[in-house]
Every structure is written in C-alpha cells, then in structure tokens.
C-alpha cells in the first residue's frame, strides 16, 4: 500500500502572474497529500477548474480508504478481504457508522435496534399503490425513502445526536422492507411484514420471496452470498451517490431526503446501474463466440457502446471487490448447481479484455458490478432489482457519511463554481423587433 504521506512539502507556491501564492498542503493518514486551494480566489481572483472532481478532495473523512493503484479498500482501516471473510453486513454497518467494531453487547443492542425499526408505516403502502405496476423499483425506492421524512418529521432535529442516530438506524432498518415492497408491488404480490425472528439478510429474503401458499425454504448459501455482496457494496468513500448524499446533507436537508438523492445518483449506468447494464450486455452478446465483436465495438470511438462492468474512476488495478465476487460467483453457482451460459460469456469477455491493448493501456479492469449481476441472477433476484440491492448495502455508507458530516466543523454548503461560457451582458429586445 502506498503511504505517500508525512514526507513532503508543508506548502506549495503558485506563481499567479506577478504574485506568488503560498498554499498549505494537507496530509492524510494514508494516500496522496492535497493542496488546500481555499484561499486561491481571495489571493488571485481565480477559481480552480476540475470537471468530475478528478483531482479534488471535497471533505475530510475517516470512514473508507481506497488505493486505486494497488487495488486496496479499507473500511475504518480494516481490509475488505478480512471483513468479507470474517464479518457480517450488520457488523460492517456498525463499524462504518461508529468507527470501531462492536463488542458482543454493543452488537446485540445494535441488531436489536435495527430489527425493531424494520416496519414501514401502513400509509406508506399508499405510495406504492400510486405507481404503475411496471414502475422501476429504483423509482419507488427513491420516492418512498424521501417520503420517510414526512413520517418522522417530529424526530428531525439535526442538532440532537440521538435523533440523528435514530434516523440513521431507521434508514438502515427500513431499506430492505421498502426494497422488497417495491419488488412485490411490481409483480402483484402482497407486501410482507418483516419477521423479527430472522437476521437482516434472511428477513429481506423472506419479505422478497415468501408466498402464503407454501413455506419458504431458506437457503444458507443464498443468505451468505447476499450478506457478502452487502458488505462489498457498503461504502466506497466519495463516490457519486455518497457525494450526492453529502451535497444534499450540506444544505441541512434531512437524512431521508439526502439518502433519497443518493439513491437517484446510484441509479445511473455509470454508477450502480452498471450491474443491471452488465447483465443486459451479457444477454445481448449471448454466446462466447460473439465476445470479440463486442470488444471491438467497445474500442470503436464512433460507437457509444462500452463494456459495462469495466473501468473505474479510482481503481487503475483490479477492483479488490471484483476479485472477491469473482471467486464467490463460482462458489455460489457450484453450490446452487447452476450452469449459467452468461457466466461463460463473462469469463470470455474478461479474458479478452484483460489481454487487449486498449483495455491494458487504459487500465480498465472488471469492477464490482461485473460479477455481482451474475450472482444476483443465481439468487433469483430479478434484473431490475440489482441496483436496489446495491442501494441496500450502500445505505450503511450513506448514513455513516451523513453522520460524519453533521459533526464536521469544516462542513460548508457544497457550492461549486463554473466557467461561464454563455453570452456577455446584452440588452433585452422587444419580441416584435427580434
Ligand atoms: N469500455 C470501453 N472503454 C472505456 C470503458 C469501458 N467500460 N471505460 C472507460 N473507457 C475508456 C474511455 O473511452 C476513455 O478512453 P480515451 O482515453 O481513449 O478517451 C478511457 O477509457 C478513460 O475513461 P473515462 O470515461 O475518462 O474514465 P472515467 O474515470 O471518467 O469513468 C467509468 C469511469 C464511468 C466507471 C467508466 O469506466 C465506465 O463508463 N465504465 C462502464 C460503466 C461501469 O461499469 N460503471 C460502474 C463503475 S463502478 C461503480 O459505480 C460501483
């Protein structure tokens, strides 16, 4: 892991015309130092330009660390590989929100609390009924999560740490209930109540798949795989959806509104929507012999087609989550006795891309979404629900970041600048003279 910190200049000097501006350098615990440009406009009259924030840190955070060159991901300092092997999603959620792993008592209390906040208000069902049966479940999830602020408006004093904590617990607890309700509504099945005698993941599976006519066989392989996927999706520092949660949160908006905004950001195919797009792409490719043609299309700059599940803004090496999921995919398909032809297409695609110069030079490796769709499919999760599954796991990170932001003394309303490219000042012309 590169620890480029500590040694380096305390400040850098920027020559701006005939003026030298001294800018302080801030050093993280791990990772690259950052030049603090906050005083630049005052001293030079210039702003900085960085579309997509590729070179800009927007906040300080102690939650997650990524080394994209080395393929390292740490939650609160713990390597993702160790958490994936030894922890559970709910324990990881506690870790992200509180900073330390819980002892037995702390975990039991946390689990009890999450379990007892899983119910949704009966009136929330009316929201689902307002949707067409074929509405996308991400649309339903975003709308119903935002509507939680209307149900809990009496506990939204953001100055009160207990009310903030309670909102975070509610979001974590209710997300699977709302997600399963969105699915059941879309297929015309009655919405199920959460069963408190089950753990977090099995409770979700029960709400998704239980039917009144026969008992639901709970498969431990399925529950374990889903728990692992939630762990891997739980946080990824300042990704687009988490940055959205923080941007909305920076205005003082309530956590339900902030997280609903994060859900909508996650939906895009360049972000969490990629897992759904991967499966559609694999189905379109259809058979391994068509893989080379798909790779050629992805390289063609006149064609907008991209290999979904490849490339990442931060990882310029194998996404460590993709490595874990790749192994898990084979195990799950083996244990469930599933022979999925799409996996063959995926393997061939991975192999072809990894040895193709275009992908090698641009450091485009499979990302977390490349395999997650195949596992979800094996677990009988419908394709439109893939991004919803991501949202359930990522809720742990969203609420952890929102909680951290609320006590950050440097928190300011997020308000970027722009390079204006429109018309210069001009006079209004009456309509009959235009
Ligand atoms: N297929 C083909 N070419 C690609 C791909 C791809 N999947 N990804 C990037 N490239 C190419 C670009 O065309 C560009 O080529 P150029 O240098 O010749 O112009 C170069 O690689 C760099 O790509 P950018 O788009 O500049 O990289 P950026 O960091 O902005 O984008 C992103 C990252 C959005 C993830 C991109 O790789 C992509 O669209 N991937 C497919 C969608 C996907 O899998 N998203 C999930 C991301 S992970 C997550 O959110 C959980």
């Amino acid at each position: 892991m590169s620890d480029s910190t500590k040694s380096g200049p305390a400040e850098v000097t920027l020559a701006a015309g005939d003026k030298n501006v001294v800018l302080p350098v801030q050093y993280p615990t791990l990772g690259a130092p950052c030049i603090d440009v906050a005083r630049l406009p005052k001293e030079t009259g210039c702003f900085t330009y960085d579309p997509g924030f590729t070179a800009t840190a927007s906040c300080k955070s102690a939650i997650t660390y990524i080394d994209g060159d080395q393929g390292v991901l740490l939650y609160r300092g713990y390597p993702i590989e160790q958490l994936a092997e030894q922890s559970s999603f709910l324990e990881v959620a506690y870790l992200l929100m509180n900073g330390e792993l819980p002892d037995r008592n702390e975990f039991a209390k946390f689990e009890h609390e999450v379990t007892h906040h899983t119910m949704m208000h009966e009136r929330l069902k009316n929201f689902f009924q307002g949707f067409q049966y074929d509405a996308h479940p991400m649309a339903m999830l975003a709308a119903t999560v935002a509507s939680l602020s209307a149900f809990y408006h009496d506990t939204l004093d953001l100055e009160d740490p207990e009310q903030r904590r309670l909102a975070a617990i509610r979001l974590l607890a209710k997300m699977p209930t709302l997600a399963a309700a969105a699915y059941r509504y879309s297929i015309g099945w009655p919405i199920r109540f959460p069963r408190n005698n089950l753990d977090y993941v099995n409770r979700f599976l029960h709400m998704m798949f239980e039917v009144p006519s026969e008992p639901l066989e709970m498969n431990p392989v399925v529950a374990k795989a889903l728990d692992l996927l939630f762990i891997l999706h739980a946080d990824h520092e300042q990704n687009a959806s988490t940055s959205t949660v923080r941007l909305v949160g920076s205005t003082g908006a309530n956590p339900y509104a902030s997280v609903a905004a994060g859900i909508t950001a996650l939906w895009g195919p360049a972000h969490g929507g990629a897992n759904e797009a991967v499966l559609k792409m694999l189905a379109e490719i259809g058979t391994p012999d068509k893989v080379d043609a798909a790779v050629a299309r992805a390289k063609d700059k006149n064609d907008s087609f991209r290999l979904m599940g490849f490339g990442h803004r931060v990882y310029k090496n194998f996404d460590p989550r993709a490595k874990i999921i790749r192994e898990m995919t084979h195990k799950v398909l083996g244990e469930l006795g599933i022979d999925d032809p799409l996996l063959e297409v995926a393997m061939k695609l991975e192999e072809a891309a990894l040895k193709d110069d275009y992908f090698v030079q641009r450091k485009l490796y499979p990302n977390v979404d490349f395999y997650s769709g195949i596992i979800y499919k094996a677990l009988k999760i419908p394709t439109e629900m893939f991004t919803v599954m991501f949202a359930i796991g990522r809720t742990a990170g969203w609420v952890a970041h929102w909680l951290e932001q609320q006590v950050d003394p440097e928190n300011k309303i997020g308000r970027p600048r722009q390079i204006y490219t429109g018309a210069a000042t001009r006079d209004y012309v009456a309509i009959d003279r235009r």
Side-chain angles (χ1 to χ4, degrees), residues 269-272 274 298-299 301 305-313 316 321 358-359 362 364 367-369 390 394:
H271 190 14
K299 296 192 300 184
K301 294 290 172 199
F305 175 75
R306 281 188 166 197
L307 285 192
M308 286 293 128
F310 273 80
H312 197 275
R313 170 59 62 77
K316 302 302 168 198
R321 303 166 300 172
Y358 174 97
F359 290 88
R362 290 169 180 75
L364 299 169
N367 59 46
V368 66
D369 288 325
F390 194 156
R394 186 54 58 88

Side-chain angles (χ1 to χ4, degrees), residues 104-274:
R104 272 188 201 289
N105 283 341
E106 288 165 335
F107 183 72
K109 197 165 161 258
F110 182 68
E111 188 173 36
H112 183 271
E113 218 176 353
V114 170
T115 303
H116 289 86
H117 279 287
T118 48
M119 291 277 286
M120 67 176 186
H121 196 288
E122 206 46 25
R123 294 240 169 84
L124 249 164
K125 284 189 184 163
N126 298 341
F127 282 75
F128 288 102
Q129 273 145 21
F131 283 102
Q132 284 281 60
Y133 72 93
D134 58 353
H136 196 287
M138 282 296 275
M140 292 193 251
L141 192 68
T144 50
V145 168
S147 78
L148 290 177
S149 42
F151 288 91
Y152 301 108
H153 56 84
D154 53 344
T155 43
L156 279 178
D157 176 2
L158 303 189
E159 297 295 316
D160 178 350
E162 183 49 27
Q163 293 193 27
R164 293 198 300 263
R165 201 188 63 83
L166 185 59
I169 295 272
R170 279 192 177 125
L171 277 159
L172 191 65
K174 292 184 199 305
M175 199 62 80
T177 313
L178 296 173
Y183 168 60
R184 306 234 354 163
Y185 180 75
S186 72
I187 56 167
W189 284 9
I191 290 172
R192 280 284 167 260
F193 287 126
R195 293 265 291 260
N196 288 359
N197 61 330
L198 299 173
D199 65 22
Y200 192 86
V201 169
N202 278 302
R203 187 165 52 234
F204 170 66
L205 288 168
H206 189 268
M207 286 188 284
M208 283 283 287
F209 298 120
E210 196 270 339
V211 285
S213 41
E214 56 189 83
L216 177 69
E217 301 260 326
M218 305 300 275
N219 185 335
V221 175
V222 172
K224 175 87 190 91
L226 205 51
D227 194 70
L228 177 76
L229 286 161
F230 287 161
I231 292 176
L232 299 179
H233 280 130
D235 194 39
H236 216 226
E237 49 117 308
Q238 308 309 321
N239 59 87
S241 57
T242 303
S243 296
T244 303
V245 171
R246 278 185 176 264
L247 187 64
V248 177
S250 78
T251 68
N254 71 69
Y256 306 107
S258 305
V259 168
I263 293 172
T264 59
L266 186 75
W267 197 356
H271 190 14

